[in-house]
Amino acid sequence: MSPFSPKLKGALGAAAVLMLTTTAAHASFIANFHNNLTSNNTNTVFIFGEEGTAGTVSSVGGFNQNFSIDSTGVFELSLGTNGQSMSQNGVVNTLSLLVKSADPISGLALNRRNATTDMTTLLDLDGLSTDYRVLTTTGTFSNGSQMSVTATEDNTTVTITPNDITGLTDGVPVNVVLQKGESIFYSSGANGDLSGTRVQSTAKVAVFAGAACTNVPTNVTACDHLIQQQFGVENFDTEFLLPETPFAGADKDLVRVIAAGDNTQVFVNGVLQGTINAGEVLQINNVGNAKITSDKPVSVGQFMRGQSGSRSVGDPAFALLPSVDQFLNAYAFTTPVGNEVFNQNQLNIAIDQSIAASLKLN
């Protein structure tokens, strides 16, 4: 259905992250990192491909490194403490990374700090868009809800119609001109939510959104960093499968749905949950294994709750769900190791029952 390789994500453990990425389909993608709770986080890019695949990771700000994938099928590029992190609201920067190869690759970006960690899948350049409606959640602390926009071509005019962006007026569009590889980063104050912000551009851009460190929901501790690369509105869809995160307890997961058009009805397991207009968000509490549908295209975010509620293990995590039409038949994944906070790994899989017997883990 769509030109990009969609990705799945699940998360579990005390600030642990488990990410899935599709088998490689294209040969370039953008990696962005946002400010974590404090500046002592470590940023990492994971690059997947066949053994012998080589390429470059670079920024217009001067970062440049070659990579070559060995027999493990993944190259791990550590950027060090706070490497390439964006933090200055409304300021153009050159911190975005472009990962390129002559051969197929796919990737993940990990922002890791003790007790506040998240990872995002990275979309192929072919899958980027010129029209986005941002989906994230409330930022509990200062520099809370966050987003960034990165240009893929020179002289790209980006029109931001803001919601809760510090220093901008809600609903009043502003224009920013970016050159290829340049980014602009936006944030809210404490308890702000950038969801519903619209990003339109004259050429394709990459959009990432999340929160520096936030509680999910806001009255349940402990906070965690959140980040996900966003889908353009042409890749919104109408049918999604949500596998619940383990150890959820009675409260299960929190789901947020954003609409591309007006008068959009949203259903969970066939039961109407509400009607929303373009750019509006419907929040649904306590969602376990579920089929989420809508009568018009939407984007669906799955948020794992913090562990001080009914959950016994794990901090908040954020996943944008690929639609059923975007499912693939093969995925690669990695689970970060080397720290006591990653003491458990869980793999959540949504699969049609009729083909469940064919599932294999290599």
Side-chain angles (χ1 to χ4, degrees):
M1 171 182 166
S2 68
F4 67 89
S5 298
K7 283 84 173 176
L8 293 173
K9 168 187 162 181
L12 195 63
V17 176
L18 167 66
M19 288 293 299
L20 299 169
T21 181
T22 60
T23 51
H26 295 277
S28 56
F29 50 82
I30 286 169
N32 283 3
F33 297 90
H34 297 168
N35 188 50
N36 205 315
L37 178 63
T38 58
S39 60
N40 61 343
N41 54 284
T42 300
N43 295 332
T44 305
V45 178
F46 296 91
I47 305 167
F48 295 85
E50 296 294 329
E51 182 178 2
T53 296
T56 60
V57 183
S58 62
S59 77
V60 295
F63 184 94
N64 193 17
Q65 181 166 332
N66 297 328
F67 70 86
S68 180
I69 297 173
D70 62 19
S71 60
T72 65
V74 58
F75 181 86
E76 181 177 335
L77 173 61
S78 176
L79 301 170
T81 303
N82 205 35
Q84 306 300 120
S85 286
M86 302 178 189
S87 61
Q88 292 184 288
N89 180 66
V91 177
V92 174
N93 66 72
T94 56
L95 295 169
S96 181
L97 296 174
L98 176 64
V99 183
K100 294 181 63 176
S101 174
D103 299 307
I105 53 173
S106 57
L108 309 169
L110 171 69
N111 186 316
R112 178 175 178 176
R113 175 191 176 276
N114 184 36
T116 166
T117 295
D118 205 16
M119 183 184 271
T120 180
T121 52
L122 302 172
L123 305 181
D124 311 313
L125 294 189
D126 286 347
L128 302 184
S129 177
T130 60
D131 190 7
Y132 294 84
R133 292 189 182 273
V134 171
L135 179 61
T136 178
T137 190
T138 301
T140 307
F141 299 99
S142 60
N143 198 24
S145 192
Q146 303 177 135
M147 61 174 283
S148 62
V149 182
T150 302
T152 62
E153 297 183 15
D154 285 339
N155 301 313
T156 298
T157 298
V158 181
T159 302
I160 307 291
T161 305
N163 182 64
D164 260 359
I165 293 177
T166 298
L168 300 182
T169 302
D170 288 356
V172 178
V174 296
N175 290 330
V176 179
V177 177
L178 298 176
Q179 304 307 312
K180 182 178 180 180
E182 290 184 339
S183 304
I184 189 161
F185 173 84
Y186 292 109
S187 62
S188 73
N191 301 315
D193 179 4
L194 302 187
S195 294
T197 295
R198 191 169 190 183
V199 179
Q200 298 167 288
S201 54
T202 57
K204 287 185 177 182
V205 294
V207 177
F208 292 73
C213 192
T214 192
N215 297 333
V216 176
T218 55
N219 61 339
V220 173
T221 56
C223 85
D224 222 46
H225 183 70
L226 303 180
I227 187 169
Q228 279 286 280
Q229 186 168 3
Q230 304 283 293
F231 297 153
V233 295
E234 67 267 34
N235 288 314
F236 284 21
D237 214 332
T238 58
E239 183 179 357
F240 304 81
L241 297 181
L242 185 147
E244 69 179 59
T245 54
F247 309 118
D251 290 332
K252 307 298 183 184
D253 296 322
L254 186 146
V255 169
R256 308 194 87 209
V257 182
I258 191 167
D262 291 341
N263 300 311
T264 300
Q265 294 184 316
V266 180
F267 304 82
V268 174
N269 297 328
V271 178
L272 180 64
Q273 303 296 306
T275 301
I276 50 178
N277 291 323
E280 291 183 343
V281 175
L282 176 67
Q283 183 164 298
I284 311 167
N285 291 312
N286 307 332
V287 181
N289 291 318
K291 182 177 182 179
I292 298 172
T293 57
S294 58
D295 65 346
K296 296 177 183 178
V298 298
S299 185
V300 178
Q302 178 181 8
F303 296 82
M304 192 173 83
R305 291 173 178 266
Q307 62 181 297
S308 67
S310 66
R311 172 173 293 281
S312 59
V313 178
D315 286 343
F318 174 26
L320 282 177
L321 300 182
S323 71
V324 170
D325 285 343
Q326 295 163 346
F327 282 2
L328 300 180
N329 62 5
Y331 297 84
F333 67 91
T334 185
T335 54
V337 296
N339 189 297
E340 68 279 0
V341 300
F342 291 102
N343 59 6
Q344 295 189 42
N345 295 307
Q346 304 289 333
L347 177 62
N348 292 352
I349 300 173
I351 186 171
D352 190 289
Q353 188 173 6
S354 65
I355 60 170
S358 70
L359 183 65
K360 293 182 179 180
L361 176 66
N362 181 358

